[in-house]
């Protein structure tokens, strides 16, 4: 019996050999260097490793395909902008193994789907295009031309262009992303869901509405100069390790760090800079001055408590708020204050789960300083009230005048290395009218003005067969999205699923009737085209656009660049109907950048400015107190306390990343900073919650969720007692995505609420 799509989508349920220890009190340091050496030795050719190490995040080198943390403008370490997880991202991409027709002849799709995600990822780099015919058990080789024609055929067969979905993951460069959205729009749809729908969409929504730009306002230098940096809902030690150097610098300059997190993440507590030999010996820098062990989704309550206390002081002394700033630059102050007064301080503090002592420590720092930066990531954006979380932070910054000045502002820390750039150049299912008008003017076709599908809408459309072709430019859709089993059925309903990928992943195994794997060059590889070696570009988390150029020879002769894939498909699909000469772009990426310059604001003189080794900053209104909102001012907002409660036996679960993964790519099986080794099917629980349920360390349990009458289950997890607030628990994504209901998402932004899933524990 062939396996069902649902079965193929499930992660492996067998256990390894779990070991746990007390989490370390320090991060990075020697162990980190040793881990890197180990990783490189296992998976890469030594010569490649050396070549890469000297070029990673260096001027004239390539942009690390890991996270979106910016590089310093001036001094960069001669050791390379080192980061353990950056090296893991590179070794994963620059593996010394490739897979092609022989591999796919040997293993059927069903068999591959029974492998763990770790094994799937370690099978090697994809080396040639592969096709899965309807009813076939194995992928077989296909030529590039045939593959392009296959996609074109299915797209042109549709009743309407809106029956196709074009997903993007955030590694795609500006050049590939721009051409891709241009093709999709000329084809006739705006169905451009992307990974940011599951990531920082809530930040984009909240910041656009309140400050007029969906991006953060600070630059790296601001972090060095801040008096107070609040790191909330973020685990930089694992996910943005180079941010720890910036926080260390801030501390050396006298700044204070507040960490707000249900978990005492090792990287937030202490950091040993691997590039500082003295620190390596003396034991590192304490990072957080105050650690706030907040309850999951207690953030609005906590910030409201702060706002209420600030208001009380302001009313008593009149010198707490920046009244000149509020007067000149903001709108909605009176309504905001009168709403704030309807809340009760004690009730807010209680709902946050934070003690009065810790609250007071945080409050004193905020009260007495106004160069404040708030940094955040998925701990704030993956809740139903995610947009409120971020708007409440903006309220705080506005009251203190902490925006648009040195050492102060918003810092949403992005995930994928070019997720911000992709949105800037047009990967957006609801792009602004002005952008669509520019496309129309430049190319002479009228792009669809409809609001396209976001990730959640796309899944529903495929489930109900309103969409029939799924195309993914990068990413691992089935493992990244919520509600795995429902989503698997959705994908299986398609006539064709296509993935442009560097590595094999589960999405290649949970397919439509037909499927294609189109293997492409990675960031580390040289991209030769007719006019020579091509340069591409990316935008980091702080709005700096810079060049990236691969340094290794491609892992196979039969893989092509993402730009070439997009051009090939656009040409095959649109043919003489097109107003655009698609094939010219792949020969010379300068032409793509010329077009971007004409269509996207902020890119004037793009090709020239890209030659600047540090890149260039895109304009940012909030940074200079020009708020491009409907009111023309920075807007205060009114936010409710989240209304959720747990039944007697329920826990609230956040799905997080281990130290050994990049999203759905599993680098290894340890989570060193949390003292967990050789297993991912675990649930971190408060020890009292374990006691109440009669659960022992490492006991095997099933996790269940019930949402609006639908029951979901994730079997076989081992319990790990941990320092986490009562009633809260944590598991790793993607193993528990089966429990995340598709209909539980952030209002306005539709980010899946994968950090607040109500579950119960079932003994086995
Ligand atoms: N090595 C590595 N680097 C990565 C990634 C990776 O997987 N691996 N992924 C990249 C991507 S795409 C992204 S988006 C980022 C993700 O970066 P993060 O957002 O740091 O990643 P998560 O593991 O989801 O961690 C969320 C953090 O928020 C906390 N948290 C959860 N719920 C709450 C809450 O309700 N309130 C508060 N205050 N905190 C909460 C968790 O305890 C955890 O520390 O990292 C990027 N960089
Ligand atoms: N439960 C839960 N779910 C989550 C999250 C969570 O915290 N909890 N986080 C969400 C977030 S923040 C994000 S961003 C999404 C991530 O969602 P995605 O971006 O879809 O997932 P990734 O795991 O980053 O994609 C990895 C795949 O991308 C391909 N790839 C790698 N590099 C390249 C490249 O250069 N080019 C191309 N074409 N392909 C490449 C490889 O084949 C690899 O298997 O997941 C989301 N899902
Ligand atoms: Mo992300």
């Amino acid at each position: 019996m062939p396996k069902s799509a649902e079965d193929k989508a499930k992660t492996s349920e067998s256990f390894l050999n779990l070991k746990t220890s007390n989490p370390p009190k320090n991060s990075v340091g020697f162990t980190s260097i040793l881990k890197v050496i180990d990783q490189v030795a296992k998976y890469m050719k030594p010569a490649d490793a050396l070549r890469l190490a000297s070029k990673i995040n260096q001027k004239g080198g390539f942009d690390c395909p890991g996270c979106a943390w910016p590089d310093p403008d001036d001094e960069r370490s001669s050791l390379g902008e080192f980061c353990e997880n950056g090296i893991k991202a590179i070794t994963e991409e620059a593996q010394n193994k490739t897979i092609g027709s022989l591999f796919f002849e040997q293993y059927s799709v069903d068999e591959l789907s029974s492998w763990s995600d770790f094994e799937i990822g370690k099978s090697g780099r994809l080396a040639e295009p592969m096709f899965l015919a309807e009813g076939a058990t194995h992928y077989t080789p296909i030529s590039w031309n045939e593959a392009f024609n296959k996609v074109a055929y299915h797209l042109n067969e549709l009743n309407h262009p809106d029956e196709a979905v074009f997903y993007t993951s955030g590694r795609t460069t500006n050049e590939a992303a721009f051409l891709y959205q241009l093709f999709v729009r000329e084809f006739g749809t705006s169905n451009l869901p992307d990974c940011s729908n599951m990531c920082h969409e809530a930040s984009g929504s909240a910041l656009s509405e309140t400050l007029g730009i969906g991006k953060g306002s600070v630059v790296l230098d601001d972090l060095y100069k801040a008096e107070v940096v609040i790191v909330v809902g973020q685990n930089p030690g694992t996910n943005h390790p180079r941010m720890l150097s910036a926080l260390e610098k801030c501390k050396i300059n006298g700044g204070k760090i507040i960490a707000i997190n249900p978990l005492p993440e090792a990287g937030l507590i202490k950091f040993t800079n691997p590039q500082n030999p003295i620190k390596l010996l003396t034991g590192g820098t304490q990072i957080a001055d105050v650690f706030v062990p907040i309850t999951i989704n207690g953030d609005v309550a906590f910030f409201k408590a702060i706002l209420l206390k600030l208001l009380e002081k302001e009313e008593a002394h009149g010198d707490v708020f920046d009244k000149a700033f509020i007067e000149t630059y903001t709108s909605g102050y009176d309504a905001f204050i009168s709403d704030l007064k309807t809340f009760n301080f004690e009730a807010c503090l209680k709902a946050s789960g934070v003690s009065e002592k810790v609250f007071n420590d945080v409050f004193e720092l905020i009260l007495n300083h106004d160069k404040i930066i708030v940094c955040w990531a998925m701990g704030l954006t993956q809740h139903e009230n995610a947009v409120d979380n971020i708007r409440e932070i903006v309220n705080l910054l506005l009251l203190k005048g902490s925006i648009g000045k040195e050492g102060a502002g918003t810092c949403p820390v992005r995930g994928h290395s070019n997720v911000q750039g992709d949105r800037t150049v047009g990967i957006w299912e609801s792009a602004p009218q002005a952008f669509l008008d520019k496309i129309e003017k430049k190319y002479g076709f009228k792009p669809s003005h409809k609001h396209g599908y976001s990730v959640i809408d796309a899944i529903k459309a495929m489930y109900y067969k309103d969409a029939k072709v799924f195309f993914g430019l990068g990413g691992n859709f089935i493992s990244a999205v919520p509600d795995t089993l429902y989503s698997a059925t959705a994908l299986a309903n398609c006539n064709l699923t296509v993935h442009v990928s560097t590595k094999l992943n589960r999405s290649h195994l949970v397919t439509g009737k037909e499927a294609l794997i189109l293997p492409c060059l990675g960031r580390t590889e040289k991209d030769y085209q007719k006019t020579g070696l091509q340069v591409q570009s990316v935008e980091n988390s702080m709005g700096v656009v810079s060049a990236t150029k691969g340094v290794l020879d491609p892992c196979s002769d039969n893989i092509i660049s993402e730009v070439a894939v997009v051009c090939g498909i656009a040409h095959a699909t649109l043919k003489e109907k097109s107003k655009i000469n698609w094939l010219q772009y792949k020969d010379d990426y300068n032409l793509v950048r010329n077009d971007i310059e004409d269509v996207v604001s902020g890119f004037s003189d793009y090709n020239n400015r890209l030659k600047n080794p540090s890149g260039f900053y895109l304009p940012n209104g909030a940074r200079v107190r020009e708020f491009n909102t409907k009111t023309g001012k920075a807007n205060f907002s009114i936010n409710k306390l989240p209304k959720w409660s747990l039944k007697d036996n329920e826990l609230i679960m956040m799905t997080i990343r281990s130290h050994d993964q990049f999203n759905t790519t599993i680098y290894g099986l340890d989570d060193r900073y949390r003292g967990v080794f050789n297993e991912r099917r675990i649930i971190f629980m408060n020890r009292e919650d374990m006691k109440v349920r009669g659960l022992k360390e490492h006991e095997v349990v099933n996790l269940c969720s019930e949402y609006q009458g639908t029951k979901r289950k994730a079997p076989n997890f081992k319990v790990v007692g941990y320092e986490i607030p009562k009633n809260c628990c944590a598991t790793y994504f993607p193993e528990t995505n089966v429990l995340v209901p598709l209909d539980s998402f952030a209002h306005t932004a539709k980010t899946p609420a994968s950090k607040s899933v109500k579950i119960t524990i079932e003994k086995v």
Side-chain angles (χ1 to χ4, degrees):
M1 264 286 281
K3 273 184 159 183
S4 68
E6 291 190 340
D7 277 339
K8 286 188 279 194
K10 285 181 194 160
T11 51
S12 159
E13 281 164 26
S14 52
F15 282 122
L16 299 157
N17 186 16
L18 170 65
K19 288 204 173 56
T20 47
S21 64
N22 286 331
K25 299 259 178 291
N26 199 346
S27 64
V28 194
F30 272 131
T31 331
S32 198
I33 295 177
L34 293 177
K35 286 282 158 193
V36 162
I37 295 172
D38 177 57
Q39 196 81 9
V40 168
K42 265 194 200 145
Y43 302 116
M44 280 182 77
K45 296 185 201 126
D48 285 354
L50 263 180
R51 206 168 311 146
L52 285 175
S54 65
K55 288 287 185 189
I56 179 168
N57 290 339
Q58 294 298 308
K59 297 169 182 175
F62 67 95
D63 180 66
C64 174
C67 73
W69 189 255
D71 307 310
D73 285 342
D74 36 37
E75 20 125 6
R76 293 192 192 172
S77 162
S78 53
L79 264 170
E81 266 293 301
F82 171 90
C83 138
E84 175 192 342
N85 278 347
I87 302 283
K88 287 186 201 158
I90 291 160
T91 47
E92 193 72 24
E93 181 174 302
Q95 287 187 12
N96 51 15
K97 253 200 302 186
T98 56
I99 55 176
S101 41
L102 277 179
F103 175 89
F104 287 101
E105 204 178 295
Q106 192 175 358
Y107 302 108
S108 71
V109 171
D110 280 7
E111 181 170 358
L112 289 171
S113 73
S114 66
W115 293 11
S116 71
D117 290 330
F118 174 67
E119 291 163 319
I120 291 176
K122 288 284 178 275
S123 52
R125 278 287 300 278
L126 294 159
E128 57 180 312
M130 303 298 300
F131 172 61
L132 185 70
E134 186 167 358
T137 53
H138 291 68
Y139 273 96
T140 48
I142 184 171
S143 74
W144 277 104
N145 260 341
E146 278 177 288
F148 292 155
N149 288 335
K150 192 69 70 205
V151 178
Y153 169 80
H154 279 278
L155 289 178
N156 287 325
E157 274 288 284
L158 297 173
N159 293 320
H160 192 280
D162 286 341
E163 290 179 348
V165 166
F166 297 90
Y167 175 71
T168 317
S169 165
R171 272 198 195 174
T172 297
T173 58
N174 284 354
E175 290 74 7
F178 177 79
L179 290 179
Y180 182 55
Q181 62 83 37
L182 184 63
F183 158 60
V184 170
R185 296 186 197 285
E186 193 181 24
F187 174 63
T189 180
S190 37
N191 289 339
L192 283 161
D194 76 320
C195 69
S196 60
N197 295 151
M198 299 181 271
C199 187
H200 266 294
E201 196 69 61
S203 309
S205 299
L207 293 173
S208 303
E209 173 196 331
T210 54
L211 300 176
I213 181 164
K215 308 176 183 182
S217 71
V218 302
V219 299
L220 208 45
D221 209 45
D222 290 316
L223 272 157
Y224 306 152
K225 293 180 175 149
E227 294 164 340
V228 175
V229 177
I230 305 177
V231 182
V232 48
Q234 193 203 346
N235 178 20
T238 286
N239 298 312
H240 307 92
R242 289 176 303 125
M243 176 175 168
L244 297 184
S245 318
L247 293 178
E248 184 184 42
K249 210 158 171 180
C250 169
K251 294 214 59 163
I252 291 167
N253 294 342
K256 300 282 182 197
I257 315 276
I258 301 167
I260 307 179
N261 199 306
L263 302 177
E265 305 282 27
L268 291 170
I269 308 302
K270 206 167 187 190
F271 165 57
T272 305
N273 193 331
Q275 287 162 2
N276 182 336
I278 295 170
K279 284 283 161 127
L280 274 175
L281 296 175
T282 55
T285 309
Q286 182 195 338
I287 295 289
D289 295 277
V290 189
F291 169 62
V292 184
I294 199 155
T295 197
I296 292 175
N297 201 17
D299 303 273
V300 169
F302 185 72
F303 281 106
K304 270 210 193 297
I306 301 268
L307 294 171
L308 281 162
K309 259 293 186 273
L310 286 175
L311 178 62
E312 191 186 306
K313 290 271 182 199
E314 169 68 24
E315 291 189 330
H317 309 288
D319 58 355
V320 175
F321 295 169
D322 184 338
K323 287 190 278 296
F325 174 83
I326 294 171
E327 180 76 14
T328 318
Y329 294 106
T330 73
S331 164
Y333 173 80
D334 292 339
F336 162 70
I337 294 293
S338 48
D339 178 74
L340 184 60
K341 286 182 173 167
T342 65
F343 291 88
N344 170 277
F345 171 78
E346 278 77 24
C348 288
L349 192 58
K350 185 158 182 274
S352 74
V354 178
S355 72
E356 204 150 345
K357 155 88 181 68
V358 172
F359 173 85
N360 286 332
D361 290 349
V362 174
F363 181 71
E364 284 303 312
L365 286 176
I366 293 179
L367 178 70
N368 296 317
H369 297 99
D370 55 19
K371 286 186 173 182
I372 302 172
I373 291 177
V374 187
C375 304
W376 70 89
M378 298 304 100
L380 291 196
T381 63
Q382 296 177 334
H383 298 282
E384 290 186 4
N385 66 333
V387 176
D388 299 351
N389 273 336
I390 293 136
R391 289 195 306 208
E392 207 68 325
I393 286 172
V394 172
N395 284 336
L396 170 67
L397 294 174
L398 293 182
L399 286 179
K400 300 282 298 178
S402 299
I403 192 101
K405 71 175 179 196
E406 191 182 82
T410 53
C411 183
V413 184
R414 300 282 160 177
H416 269 298
S417 51
N418 197 37
V419 62
Q420 188 158 313
D422 290 349
R423 183 55 65 87
T424 303
V425 301
I427 303 289
W428 199 348
E429 77 281 4
S430 58
Q433 188 61 45
F435 175 80
L436 299 177
D437 290 346
K438 279 191 174 170
I439 294 261
E440 182 172 351
K441 188 160 166 246
K442 164 116 187 122
Y443 299 102
F445 69 87
K446 203 171 179 60
S448 167
H449 286 214
K450 262 205 242 166
H451 195 309
Y453 295 140
S454 68
V455 162
I456 286 180
D457 305 322
I459 294 167
K460 287 202 171 156
M462 292 187 282
Y463 188 88
Y464 290 109
K465 303 189 180 175
D466 294 329
K468 296 177 181 133
V469 172
F470 174 91
F471 189 101
L473 188 59
N476 182 3
F477 194 76
I478 190 57
S479 298
V481 299
D483 230 339
T484 314
L485 305 188
Y486 181 98
S487 302
T489 307
L491 284 167
N493 280 345
C494 289
N495 294 333
L496 177 73
T497 48
V498 187
H499 290 93
V500 182
S501 314
T502 50
K503 302 269 309 296
L504 186 68
N505 64 44
R506 201 165 285 281
S507 297
H508 305 129
L509 311 174
V510 181
T511 64
K513 288 186 191 76
E514 294 184 349
L516 282 166
I517 301 176
L518 306 180
C520 66
L521 295 170
R523 215 41 96 62
T524 49
E525 287 162 324
K526 291 178 190 156
D527 184 353
Y528 276 107
Q529 304 292 347
K530 264 196 193 136
T531 53
L533 187 61
Q534 304 296 310
V535 170
Q536 302 194 64
S537 53
V538 290
E539 174 184 344
N540 67 30
S541 205
M542 292 177 182
V544 179
V545 177
S546 59
T548 175
K549 195 167 70 184
V551 295
L552 297 183
D553 291 327
C555 70
S556 152
D557 294 339
N558 204 8
I559 63 175
I560 63 178
S561 71
E562 290 183 345
V563 166
V565 172
V566 173
C567 292
I569 287 172
H571 178 72
T573 307
L574 302 169
K575 294 207 177 75
E576 54 288 339
K577 274 187 299 192
S578 181
K579 301 211 179 279
I580 297 164
N581 174 3
W582 281 100
L583 297 182
Q584 61 173 339
Y585 295 115
K586 78 175 170 54
D587 297 338
D588 182 0
Y589 298 1
N590 287 320
L591 301 178
V592 189
R593 286 185 286 271
N594 287 342
D595 279 24
I596 295 178
E597 180 173 336
D598 291 346
V599 174
V600 188
S601 21
F603 284 87
S604 58
D605 205 17
Y606 194 179
N607 273 312
N608 245 329
R609 283 200 293 163
L610 205 56
K611 291 185 190 134
N612 179 345
S614 303
F616 60 90
Y617 280 94
L618 288 174
N620 185 311
R623 195 172 286 160
V624 290
R625 296 190 168 176
E626 279 167 18
F627 301 105
N628 189 18
T629 61
K630 281 193 188 132
T631 59
K633 303 233 170 170
N635 294 317
F636 281 97
S637 62
I638 291 178
N639 304 299
K640 301 190 198 88
L641 282 181
K643 265 204 207 119
W644 53 269
S645 58
L646 295 173
K647 291 192 199 119
D648 262 0
N649 56 348
E650 275 180 340
L651 298 172
I652 183 118
M653 176 181 80
M654 50 183 181
T655 56
I656 55 176
R657 292 155 172 79
S658 80
H659 191 61
D660 266 359
Q661 73 183 89
F662 193 97
N663 300 338
T664 69
T665 300
I666 313 300
Y667 298 141
L669 300 164
D670 300 341
D671 193 4
R672 191 170 90 242
Y673 289 170
R674 300 194 184 107
V676 172
F677 301 91
N678 209 29
E679 183 54 83
R680 294 180 49 85
R681 277 186 105 75
I682 58 156
I683 171 165
F684 295 102
M685 284 181 72
N686 176 292
R687 293 190 176 86
E688 277 181 51
D689 289 333
M690 285 168 61
K691 213 156 139 197
V692 178
R693 290 166 177 77
L695 294 171
K696 292 194 248 356
E697 273 296 321
H698 298 194
E699 184 167 334
V700 177
V701 295
N702 296 333
L703 313 181
C704 309
S705 75
E706 184 171 349
Y707 187 83
Q708 295 176 349
T710 306
K711 291 188 176 162
R712 296 172 174 83
K713 190 166 177 169
N716 290 346
F717 280 76
K718 286 191 175 168
V719 175
V720 174
Y722 206 76
E723 194 180 327
I724 181 170
K726 268 188 77 173
N727 296 323
C728 296
C729 65
T731 54
Y732 298 130
F733 117 80
E735 282 78 359
T736 44
N737 284 29
V738 283
L739 296 172
V740 185
L742 192 68
D743 283 320
S744 173
F745 51 76
H747 73 75
T748 322
K750 289 203 168 173
T751 325
S754 46
K755 296 282 191 278
S756 38
V757 186
K758 286 184 207 166
I759 63 155
T760 53
I761 310 271
E762 181 184 84
K763 285 198 162 211
V764 292

